[in-house]
């Protein structure tokens, strides 16, 4: 494909993408395929001779689209949102065209410098304390990670390195192995499974702190765990506080947990993967109060801030905590400006070496929407979630299971877990909308998350009527079964 054909095919692809997104409402949100559907539809090996673009596009509709779950459908209410916008798509095209691997400033100065500035822009939108910003001479700063899972792992590994070096400096005879076997990390019992995975990869113990009645980690429970472990000769070193848990969007109490971490000299990492986008709105900024106690903070613009995946924003108070843990400098990666103090090399802030020009997506989205446009988008989703909440309250057969703060509603039919499992099975088998469940304590709960950029009140209303209808059918069928059993 030469430049001339690329111009032609590129325009066709833009039309295909625009048609797909404009018409996504008409596609079934969840596919009708079984595991292994795709392999028989493809050759057993790559073609020896070139094939045409037309044939490939035909196969996209014939082979790929039947197996796609349409995350951007206005009838997709599962998980949490994954962001999408036309400015971000265009920026991703440019990123692919430039094609730099921005592991260092010298590898592509604009790639490094735009990321530093965009992370400062975003930090200011969140009203983060100035210590988290790079500015022109700050000690902190931001970096784009691939996911919140990566950010948690990076923070844990940095904290592990920091405490290990500190203890070895005080007691030179201590081995790393002797220290690591005593290290303990903590998170709420509502924290994401990626926190547990970070502990596994980091080779440290992770303990779950029981949450309170609102599914939040509180100071008393954390303090009790810390004291108990210290008495047993263990070394608390890392705490993850979650703002907007995956199960029910609950918020750990940062204003309580933060001071404890500060007093105990324990690294505090704040994971706000979903909820963090909402903090650009003044009315939700209080949910971030206490972040001044954190050593690192992370959220995903690729969830709710119209920046397509992947773009996970992470800030640290002291960037040397990261670079001190990950810095390796083979001669082939060195350059003349790396020790100038004017720039940073992001390869020292992350697990991979290579990195894409992801800040372009932020730059395009922030400029083409503006802060006010992004705030309006967040507020619309929150409004729609409260609309769904009100609909649930109107039907006495249902109950709300957790406080609705942002764009997630946790609800269920009053009754057994088995009843609600059956309802979810009917909902997802019908494939008109898509939901996923969670467990809150011992209850099986349905999650209704406002996800799509194009979702409107009408879609929420239709989804609720669909759920109510299926619930009526289910309850009616159960009533008939009970009557039949009595007759027998």
């Amino acid at each position: 494909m030469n430049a001339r054909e690329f111009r032609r095919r590129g325009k066709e692809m833009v039309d295909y993408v625009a048609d797909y997104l404009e018409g996504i409402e008409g596609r079934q949100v969840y596919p009708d395929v079984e595991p292994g559907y795709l392999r028989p539809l493809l050759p057993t090996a790559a073609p020896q001779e070139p094939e045409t673009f037309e044939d490939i596009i035909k196969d996209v509709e014939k082979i790929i689209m039947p197996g796609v779950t349409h995350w951007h459908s206005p009838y997709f209410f599962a998980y949490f949102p994954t962001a999408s916008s036309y400015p971000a798509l265009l920026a991703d095209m440019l990123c692919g065209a430039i094609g730099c691997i921005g592991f260092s400033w010298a590898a592509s100065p604009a790639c490094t410098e735009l990321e530093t500035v965009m992370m400062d822009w975003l930090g200011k939108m969140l009203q983060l304390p100035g210590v988290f910003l790079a500015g022109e001479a700050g000690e902190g700063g931001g970096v784009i990670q691939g996911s919140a899972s990566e950010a948690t792992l990076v923070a844990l590994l940095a904290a592990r390195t920091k405490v290990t070096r500190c203890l070895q400096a005080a007691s030179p005879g201590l081995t790393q192995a002797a220290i690591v076997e005593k290290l303990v990390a903590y998170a709420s019992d509502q924290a994401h499974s990626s926190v547990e995975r970070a502990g596994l990869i980091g080779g440290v113990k992770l303990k779950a702190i029981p949450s309170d009645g609102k599914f939040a980690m509180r100071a008393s429970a954390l303090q009790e765990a810390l004291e108990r472990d210290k008495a047993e000769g263990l070394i608390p070193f890392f705490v993850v506080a979650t703002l907007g848990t995956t199960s029910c969007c609950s918020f750990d109490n940062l204003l309580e947990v933060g001071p404890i971490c500060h007093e105990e000299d324990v690294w505090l990492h704040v994971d706000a993967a979903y909820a963090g986008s909402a903090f650009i709105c003044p009315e939700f900024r209080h949910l971030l109060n206490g972040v001044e106690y954190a050593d690192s903070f992370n959220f995903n613009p690729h969830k709710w801030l119209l920046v397509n995946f992947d773009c996970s924003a992470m800030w640290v108070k002291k960037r040397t905590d990261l670079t001190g843990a990950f810095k390796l400098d083979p001669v082939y990666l060195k350059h003349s400006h790396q020790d100038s103090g004017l720039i940073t090399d992001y390869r020292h802030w992350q697990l991979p070496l290579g990195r894409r020009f992801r800040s372009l997506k932020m730059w395009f989205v922030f400029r083409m929407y503006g802060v006010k446009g992004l705030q309006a988008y967040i507020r619309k989703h929150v409004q729609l979630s409260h609309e769904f909440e009100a609909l649930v309250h109107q039907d006495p057969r249902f109950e709300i299971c957790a406080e609705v703060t942002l764009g997630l509603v946790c609800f269920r039919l009053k009754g057994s877990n088995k009843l609600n499992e059956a309802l979810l099975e009917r909902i997802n088998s019908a494939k008109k909308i898509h939901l996923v469940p969670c467990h809150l304590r011992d209850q099986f709960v349905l999650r209704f998350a406002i996800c799509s950029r194009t979702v409107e009140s009408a879609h929420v209303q239709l989804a609720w009527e669909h759920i109510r209808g299926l619930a009526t059918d289910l309850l009616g069928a159960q009533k008939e079964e009970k009557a039949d059993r009595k007759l027998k």
Side-chain angles (χ1 to χ4, degrees), residues 415-485:
S416 68
N417 284 346
K418 187 176 179 181
L419 176 67
N420 283 279
E421 288 169 7
L423 175 58
L424 182 65
E425 172 64 26
R426 289 190 176 219
I427 290 169
N428 285 338
S429 294
K431 297 182 171 68
K432 290 186 177 180
I433 63 174
H434 189 49
L435 305 182
V436 296
C438 70
H439 274 105
L440 293 177
R441 305 292 185 241
D442 58 350
Q443 285 193 329
F444 184 88
V445 173
L446 281 64
R447 298 169 73 263
F448 190 92
I450 306 298
C451 291
S452 171
R453 177 176 54 84
T454 58
V455 67
E456 299 288 348
S457 175
H459 302 112
V460 171
Q461 298 274 350
L462 284 169
W464 175 240
E465 288 306 313
H466 179 59
I467 293 168
R468 288 185 71 240
L470 292 175
T472 298
D473 294 343
L474 174 61
L475 293 171
Q478 286 200 339
K479 193 173 182 180
E480 288 179 10
E481 287 176 13
K482 286 181 181 178
D484 289 343
R485 283 198 296 269

Side-chain angles (χ1 to χ4, degrees), residues 27 34 122 124 156 168 184 202 245 315 346 379 385 408 417 443 455:
R27 293 180 184 260
E34 297 296 327
L122 185 52
K124 290 175 182 176
L156 182 142
Q168 286 179 324
V184 188
T245 58
W315 289 266
Y346 278 121
R379 287 168 178 147
S385 74
L408 175 68
N417 284 346
Q443 285 193 329
V455 67

